[in-house]
Amino acid sequence: MAVDYAVIVVYLAGMLAMGWWGMRRAKSKSEFLVAGRRLGPWMYSGTMAAIVLGGASTIGGVGLGYQYGLSGAWMVFTIGLGLLALSIFFSARIARLKVYTVSEMLDLRYGGRAGLISGVVMWAYTLMLAVTSTIAYATIFDVLFDMNRTVAIILGGAIVVAYSTLGGMWSITLTDMVQFVVKTIGVLLLLLPIAVIKAGGFSEMKAKLPTEYFDPLGIGGETIFTYVLIYTFGMLIGQDIWQRVFTARTDRTARWGGTVAGTYCLVYALAGAVIGTAAKAMYPKLPSADSAFATIVKDELPVGVRGLVLAAALAAVMSTSSGALIACATVANNDIWSKLRGVVSRGRGDEHDEVKGNRVFILIMGVAVIVIAIALNNVVEALTVAYNLLVGGLLVPILGGLLWRRGTAAGALAAVAVGGVAVIGLMATYGILANEPVYYGLLASLAVYVIVSLATKPTDAAVLIAWRERLAGKGADSDETAPESVTV
């Protein structure tokens, strides 16, 4: 295992080195939070694919393949569909807004009255997303070093917090590019063909497994519909995803770079399901589906290759964890604390170091994420709560603001409140993992948004004019600078 350990250690050291490099580059709020809005198409595509394909997509995707066969690809497939929809239909407009958070977009669209409550909901979502990603370190380090769960979470979390705090989005972008390459080599080019060959090829897999393992709809229509509702729509509105859109140099980069990333996700989804199916053929009686990835890596891969594939799994977890962490800290600082601070500090006239403030929030949120991850055991429930709140509370006012001119601030606030409360109440009634909470919560949010918007005074014409100007790309941050572009 010495060679495998060396591969992992070199990888982790490289992540920290890129954090240090990013610190030297992130000198302004724009550089720190959105990489100066200067990413070219290839770097944008790689980082976008890295953020959406995390531990759940890699370890969980293989687990679903083990449990359901090829139809286990649907969870990650719907993530790819959501990224494609975002990139093709909305990313250009989002990139032209030149904002930092989803809540800032809502403030622009509805006249400055929807940001705080939406910020709280988005903060809860990004916090739980970061927590669930951090918990996954325990699985990987257990396979690598037979490490205690708490120590594993602290070690993996500390590395992510360190490079994210040092260089912000620049560090995260650079590490994500490395993680994208490592994942591509480790999962698609090495683990996928080796798993199929070790299982005896597709003909042998078909001979050993039930026919439903090769049915593309075998996982069930209702499950697929729920995946679309939660993950496809979740991709359209999550702060962690939008913050990557904000890094694009142009709206064309956001559209085409995101389309490439979404297509990559579809391929990755199928690869994970095939690997899981091969694992089922080789190990039909594993104690849990989620152990399929670790088992096939540990038992079937040669020395060195095993280390690289485990580094790929670690890369998948780190990319999602760091993206969720900076999103959580950005929302906490810019959408919640800045509004409270604006009330508390009004009239003081003090200068606030934006980069230092955001760096402090990443550190604080990072420590909180590690502590919660240590205390929390049920990852699936935590992630379900996060996505239910996101989709049930924020999908309607966000898409309504982008698509329906008649939507008002009162309608948006009512939709967030009713949708969020409905989801929480229904989860208490039906259970956290039930499908009904997000179904009925979303319907309630939509009904209230339409009814309240039509019953209240239309949005002020001046607000809509300013909104259309920003959508046309006529607004920018006061912090924005325009040095050389990063074109890779």
Side-chain angles (χ1 to χ4, degrees):
M1 291 289 289
V3 175
D4 296 326
Y5 292 161
V7 171
I8 299 298
V9 170
V10 168
Y11 169 76
L12 294 176
M15 297 299 98
L16 292 174
M18 290 183 183
W20 182 261
W21 187 91
M23 183 180 68
R24 297 164 59 87
R25 186 155 192 148
K27 301 297 185 182
S28 68
K29 179 181 178 181
S30 175
E31 295 282 349
F32 191 83
L33 293 182
V34 290
R37 309 189 196 276
R38 292 191 279 132
L39 298 191
W42 293 113
M43 184 171 280
Y44 177 88
S45 297
T47 58
M48 183 61 88
I51 179 65
V52 300
L53 296 174
S57 299
T58 303
I59 299 171
V62 171
L64 286 172
Y66 183 89
Q67 189 173 358
Y68 298 104
L70 298 185
S71 66
W74 273 105
M75 184 188 77
V76 183
F77 201 83
T78 55
I79 290 174
L81 292 178
L83 187 52
L84 285 172
L86 174 71
S87 302
I88 294 170
F89 299 113
F90 299 108
S91 63
R93 281 182 281 179
I94 293 169
R96 287 195 294 264
L97 288 174
K98 302 295 185 186
V99 295
Y100 292 103
T101 68
V102 175
S103 295
E104 285 184 50
M105 167 263 170
L106 292 173
D107 275 346
L108 277 173
R109 169 59 181 81
Y110 294 112
R113 290 179 288 168
L116 183 59
I117 185 172
S118 64
V120 172
V121 174
M122 188 65 76
W123 173 79
Y125 157 74
T126 54
L127 178 69
M128 295 314 298
L129 184 61
V131 166
T132 54
S133 300
T134 302
I135 290 173
Y137 296 128
T139 301
I140 297 171
F141 282 111
D142 177 59
V143 174
L144 281 172
F145 308 116
D146 193 24
M147 186 178 290
N148 174 270
R149 177 182 185 275
T150 299
V151 175
I153 289 172
I154 292 173
L155 175 60
I159 292 171
V160 170
V161 171
Y163 72 69
S164 301
T165 302
L166 286 171
M169 187 58 82
W170 268 123
S171 295
I172 292 171
T173 297
L174 292 170
T175 54
D176 277 358
M177 281 304 298
V178 174
Q179 289 158 356
F180 171 74
V181 172
V182 170
K183 278 192 292 190
T184 301
I185 296 173
V187 176
L188 297 185
L189 301 183
L190 291 176
L191 183 57
L192 175 60
I194 290 173
V196 173
I197 291 170
K198 291 283 186 177
F202 283 100
S203 59
E204 187 68 20
M205 289 160 60
K206 287 183 177 180
K208 290 181 178 179
L209 298 173
T211 55
E212 56 263 27
Y213 265 72
F214 302 91
D215 180 357
L217 302 178
I219 198 170
E222 184 179 356
T223 298
I224 295 171
F225 178 74
T226 302
Y227 284 159
V228 170
L229 202 59
I230 293 178
Y231 296 113
T232 301
F233 286 118
M235 288 295 106
L236 298 180
I237 58 175
Q239 170 67 25
D240 52 324
I241 310 302
W242 278 41
Q243 198 155 344
R244 297 310 173 97
V245 176
F246 300 151
T247 66
R249 188 175 73 240
T250 64
D251 54 10
R252 182 180 176 84
T253 296
R255 181 184 294 112
W256 293 110
T259 301
V260 171
T263 304
Y264 178 90
C265 291
L266 303 183
V267 175
Y268 200 88
L270 184 59
V274 171
I275 293 167
T277 305
K280 182 68 174 181
M282 288 186 283
Y283 309 99
K285 295 183 179 180
L286 289 178
S288 74
D290 284 341
S291 64
F293 180 90
T295 301
I296 197 169
V297 169
K298 203 171 186 178
D299 294 349
E300 302 296 336
L301 299 186
V303 172
V305 174
R306 181 171 50 214
L308 184 58
V309 172
L310 286 171
L314 195 58
V317 175
M318 283 187 160
S319 57
T320 300
S321 181
S322 59
L325 176 59
I326 194 172
C328 177
T330 302
V331 170
N333 187 18
N334 291 269
D335 294 335
I336 301 174
W337 174 245
S338 64
K339 287 181 170 58
L340 299 175
R341 184 178 178 275
V343 173
V344 173
S345 304
R346 190 175 296 159
R348 290 184 183 177
D350 56 336
E351 287 293 324
H352 181 56
D353 184 337
E354 294 276 15
V355 174
K356 180 180 178 181
N358 282 291
R359 187 171 279 137
V360 167
F361 264 87
I362 290 179
L363 182 59
I364 293 171
M365 291 296 107
V367 172
V369 164
I370 291 172
V371 171
I372 296 171
I374 292 171
L376 197 63
N377 286 318
N378 198 317
V379 180
V380 176
E381 289 191 359
L383 194 60
T384 301
V385 170
Y387 270 101
N388 282 353
L389 280 173
L390 177 71
V391 174
L394 291 180
L395 178 67
V396 170
I398 291 172
L399 293 188
L402 289 169
L403 299 174
W404 192 39
R405 179 176 178 177
R406 186 61 179 81
T408 66
L413 288 170
V416 174
V418 171
V421 170
V423 163
I424 293 171
L426 290 166
M427 281 192 294
T429 302
Y430 288 98
I432 290 176
L433 299 180
N435 294 327
E436 287 83 359
V438 71
Y439 293 169
Y440 300 141
L442 187 57
L443 288 174
S445 179
L446 176 60
V448 168
Y449 179 72
V450 172
I451 293 169
V452 174
S453 292
L454 293 175
T456 53
K457 184 179 178 181
T459 304
D460 186 84
V463 171
L464 290 177
I465 290 172
W467 166 251
R468 286 195 294 271
E469 288 179 350
R470 291 295 285 269
L471 282 177
K474 297 179 181 179
D477 319 279
S478 60
D479 188 61
E480 208 74 47
T481 57
E484 77 282 359
S485 295
V486 178
T487 58
V488 294

